[in-house]
Amino acid sequence: MTGWLMLVALACAGPVAVAATVTDDPAAEDSATPLPRSVVQATGEGSNPTYAFEYVYEAPAADDLQTIYRRVREADLLRRLPEVQAIDGMFELPRRLRFVTAECGEFGAFYHPDSTEVVLCYETLRTLYEHGQAHQQALGLGPDHPLRYVRANVRFIVLHETGHALVDLLDLPVTGRQEDAVDQLAAILMLRFAGLDESPEEVAENLELAANWLLSRSTGAYNLDAYADEHALGEQRYFNLQCLVYGTDPEGFAGMVEAGDLTAARAAGCPRETRRASRAWVRLLLPYLAPGYEAYAEEAEAYLERSGEDATASSR
Ligand SMILES: [Zn+2]
């Protein structure tokens, strides 16, 4: 479904059941095929706001997805993603948001506005693992690399879809491409809510792996479909992510420019880009903080105050 049709469907139908589906693969390979899965009855509707997320691991029918399903379920993968854990319960939502792993019959991850579900396909986990293995072999990395690759990318992908969910559920204003905006949110959440045991270098590496995946999905042979897509080109999403990482600490990440992961021309504006994107998302989400998050609200207000733009700074 195109962005325009999606907007129309959302605007006309509101949050009640409708055949609208944001088919979305953050790696710029969207498909308009609805998922072949049963409709899950929405809960938490009505006047009472809901806060906590729900998590469901659906049993796949395909034999070759059973092992992935068992591991994901046993690990309670979605609930334990550090950034999802950090924001679970943080926002007052008009409807409950459910995170689901499911057999989709295709590669992808989606946000479904009709059932307010973020769906991560088992097929995506399989493809990411295979890609992580290839990455490990190509670069001679350690045996834990494939799982690390999967985990870093799952974090980014699920947070990207969570961004779509928040835009829909909270009716957040987005000008420009929503795909870019939710890429920014995913990166900001990963930079802000790393696991307690993760160093800034590990956080940057997680985003580097996510950026690498976006880049690897690019065919390099662009045509009208690629230019017209809702998503920016893979190469552009790669540099956008690198810019957000670099922008958090230009001195610490100076090596990115030296290594050619970011051009010097783009890097110069990245601290400002990162600050603007972070401030925008904080400002958008602040009014929806759930009761009990008053301390966080104060911290966010202080951040907005502290990071206030220099009114004389120029844009181009
Ligand atoms: Zn998307």
Side-chain angles (χ1 to χ4, degrees):
M1 182 180 287
T2 66
W4 172 245
L5 281 175
M6 185 190 86
L7 278 177
V8 170
L10 289 175
C12 297
V16 293
V18 63
T21 298
V22 181
T23 49
D24 186 33
D25 162 8
E29 195 188 62
D30 276 3
S31 157
T33 315
L35 292 183
R37 47 189 297 276
S38 58
V39 175
V40 180
Q41 190 62 45
T43 57
E45 291 185 69
S47 56
N48 293 330
T50 58
Y51 310 106
F53 298 153
E54 292 179 9
Y55 304 91
V56 175
Y57 303 99
E58 288 190 358
D63 286 344
D64 59 346
L65 295 175
Q66 298 299 327
T67 305
I68 294 176
Y69 159 62
R70 269 200 309 279
R71 286 190 182 158
V72 161
R73 193 189 56 187
E74 280 161 17
D76 203 355
L77 175 89
L78 295 169
R79 191 193 310 269
R80 301 230 170 126
L81 296 175
E83 299 84 5
V84 171
Q85 211 164 37
I87 63 169
D88 188 353
M90 185 180 273
F91 303 111
E92 197 167 305
L93 303 173
R95 299 173 69 196
R96 69 93 185 92
L97 178 57
R98 178 179 284 154
F99 292 80
V100 183
T101 55
E103 177 178 2
C104 303
E106 62 180 328
F107 174 95
F110 310 85
Y111 167 62
H112 294 289
D114 53 344
S115 56
T116 55
E117 291 177 331
V118 166
V119 178
L120 176 67
C121 308
Y122 293 122
E123 292 88 340
T124 304
L125 293 166
R126 183 173 57 194
T127 304
L128 284 171
Y129 189 79
E130 289 166 358
H131 204 271
Q133 284 178 313
H135 202 229
Q136 173 199 13
Q137 282 157 16
L139 299 179
L141 301 169
D144 63 336
H145 185 75
L147 276 179
R148 186 161 162 54
Y149 189 91
V150 173
R151 199 167 160 77
N153 275 286
V154 163
R155 284 161 81 166
F156 183 79
I157 289 169
V158 169
L159 293 171
H160 172 107
E161 299 306 328
T162 304
H164 283 306
L166 292 174
V167 167
D168 172 43
L169 284 166
L170 301 176
D171 193 22
L172 300 177
V174 175
T175 69
R177 234 181 332 212
Q178 188 181 132
E179 295 301 334
D180 290 340
V182 300
D183 269 357
Q184 288 173 348
L185 177 67
I188 290 164
L189 288 173
M190 285 175 73
L191 289 163
R192 173 73 179 76
F193 293 115
L196 288 175
D197 54 344
E198 288 180 306
S199 66
E201 290 73 27
E202 284 172 305
V203 173
E205 194 188 327
N206 286 333
L207 280 165
E208 173 94 40
L209 292 176
N212 257 300
W213 168 250
L214 296 175
L215 193 59
S216 75
R217 302 294 291 164
S218 167
T219 61
Y222 288 120
N223 49 33
L224 285 181
D225 283 343
Y227 290 126
D229 199 84
E230 289 164 284
H231 303 84
L233 306 179
E235 288 84 349
Q236 292 176 303
R237 295 178 78 193
Y238 172 86
F239 285 116
N240 288 343
L241 278 194
Q242 300 287 49
C243 181
L244 287 173
V245 173
Y246 175 86
T248 59
D249 182 5
E251 283 177 25
F253 294 121
M256 291 174 72
V257 180
E258 288 154 20
D261 292 333
L262 193 60
T263 63
R266 176 72 183 269
C270 290
R272 181 181 160 89
E273 271 191 55
T274 305
R275 192 168 65 242
R276 290 197 78 99
S278 301
R279 285 171 54 82
W281 273 106
V282 168
R283 205 186 284 273
L284 285 173
L285 292 172
L286 192 53
Y288 300 99
L289 283 179
Y293 281 85
E294 289 76 11
Y296 189 85
E298 275 175 35
E299 191 192 318
E301 295 279 11
Y303 165 75
L304 289 174
E305 184 84 23
R306 208 169 54 238
S307 62
E309 290 284 316
D310 177 353
T312 60
S314 62
S315 293
R316 61 187 170 103

